Amino acid sequence: MKVAVVCDWLVTYAGAEKVLEQILHIFPEADLFAVVDFIPEGKRDFILNKPVTTTFIQKLPKAKEKYRNYLPFMPIAIEQLDVSDYDLIISSSHCVAKGILTGPDQVHISYVHSPIRYAWDLQHQYLREAGLTHGMKSKIARLIMHYMRIWDTRTSNGVDYFLANSNFIARRIWKCYRRKADVIYPPVDIEKFTFSREKEDFYLTASRMVPYKKMDLIVEAFSQMPDKKMIVIGKGPDFEKIKKVAAPNVILMGYQPDEVLKDFMRRAKAFVFAAEEDFGITPVEAQACGTPVIAFGKGGSLETVRGYGVKENPTGIFFYEQKILAVKKAIEQFESISDKISTEDCRKHAERFSISAFRTKFSSYVERAMKEERNERGQ
């Protein structure tokens, strides 16, 4: 069986790339395709140092730094990649990878991190954050998004089996494509996070400082609670703005190496998470350390955290509004019930999202899909 693995772009090593890494470990002989590939030598271990077949966008001016600017050309680009010689095509998609062209005798399984966020329900949020709510640029951007939605819907018909990284994304897939998706949670390398029962008197949050992560919300809330210590790890465009509203009890550490982050995760009394994520790996990593999570109760957090008063063996609590008062009330509630959250339960829950669990479920899913296809074809 010849296998092709298709992803959107290769420019960094983040959540989608961690999924890709495990897919390639399951299918080490697979060939790899992407819109662009700018992973430098020495950092290509996660793709098994494979050569990558790319598109014409790879050679366009400033593509390395401005590849996202070529979004309008990506549907055309992905359709030019020729995978006609392969029996199984696996796409790992949050943008255009699922639009790869396949034939009736090929099986296409698409692991969807999300339908194109900025083209569907999050369009208005992205336009606001990009300053594209008025003027000619706004009109052009909206026209492009309209075109992307049409293309995205049409190409959903070329997928034989949809996989989603959470039930939240499975619902978005149904909303966008009217296609059912099975759920296999992304792999989290929980073995790299040391479990600890002993916790110290501080809270932790860690993320890239961009608007939708709502780091400013957490900092402002803790700045109004001077008796509570908050450690903030992360850098990004909003860092200076957030720094201006931070009180002395809120310590902004900026970017820190993984080992420093893991050390604080292990010792924190709780990890605070205010973003609406498709899945959200960081709260799982915190729980792997035995650290409870205080999270915004929407999106993937509802699946990665067992909320107190919502499920048995809780691993954290939820707040349901992205507002300062809601965060403050959640902190107060946590401190009143923290003895009812077991560090062991946190670790045990995190193990559901391990690398080995992902590999087992993904391999079994592909095997069942291929068997089903063979039965339908009478092979």
Side-chain angles (χ1 to χ4, degrees), residues 155-195:
T155 57
S156 67
N157 295 320
V159 177
D160 297 295
Y161 299 89
F162 272 107
L163 282 170
N165 66 0
S166 66
N167 289 300
F168 176 65
I169 291 304
R171 293 195 298 274
R172 185 178 279 167
I173 289 170
W174 175 256
K175 190 82 172 181
C176 297
Y177 310 144
R178 282 299 187 259
R179 294 285 303 277
K180 289 186 178 180
D182 296 300
V183 175
I184 296 180
Y185 292 117
V188 182
D189 194 355
I190 61 172
E191 299 306 321
K192 288 186 177 180
F193 294 83
T194 307
F195 171 76

Side-chain angles (χ1 to χ4, degrees), residues 305-356:
V305 180
R306 299 180 64 86
Y308 176 80
V310 180
K311 295 183 179 180
E312 295 180 354
N313 305 317
T315 62
I317 64 169
F318 296 123
F319 56 94
Y320 296 96
E321 293 181 295
Q322 289 175 316
K323 295 182 178 179
I324 292 173
L325 182 59
V327 176
K328 291 170 67 175
K329 286 184 176 180
I331 300 302
E332 291 172 6
Q333 181 190 9
F334 173 77
E335 296 200 342
S336 68
I337 58 91
S338 59
D339 60 328
K340 296 180 173 63
I341 298 177
S342 160
T343 55
E344 287 82 0
D345 284 342
C346 291
R347 175 71 185 193
K348 186 177 179 180
H349 180 59
E351 289 170 355
R352 293 182 60 213
F353 308 99
S354 68
I355 287 175
S356 61

Side-chain angles (χ1 to χ4, degrees), residues 71-89:
L71 178 66
F73 301 105
M74 288 186 184
I76 299 171
I78 203 73
E79 291 175 349
Q80 304 315 305
L81 291 174
D82 184 3
V83 295
S84 57
D85 289 337
Y86 297 87
D87 306 296
L88 171 64
I89 293 87

Side-chain angles (χ1 to χ4, degrees), residues 207-210 234-242 254-255:
S207 177
R208 181 166 164 75
M209 292 190 177
V210 292
K235 197 83 173 175
D238 288 354
F239 183 83
E240 291 302 323
K241 182 179 76 173
I242 291 172
Y255 169 80

Side-chain angles (χ1 to χ4, degrees), residues 38-76:
F38 293 115
I39 301 296
E41 294 297 328
K43 295 186 177 180
R44 302 178 66 85
D45 289 354
F46 75 94
I47 57 170
L48 309 183
N49 294 300
K50 285 179 175 290
V52 180
T53 303
T54 57
T55 71
F56 65 86
I57 294 178
Q58 180 84 18
K59 297 180 180 179
L60 293 180
K62 298 185 178 180
K64 186 174 183 179
E65 298 82 18
K66 304 288 186 179
Y67 64 94
R68 290 179 186 271
N69 291 357
Y70 292 112
L71 178 66
F73 301 105
M74 288 186 184
I76 299 171

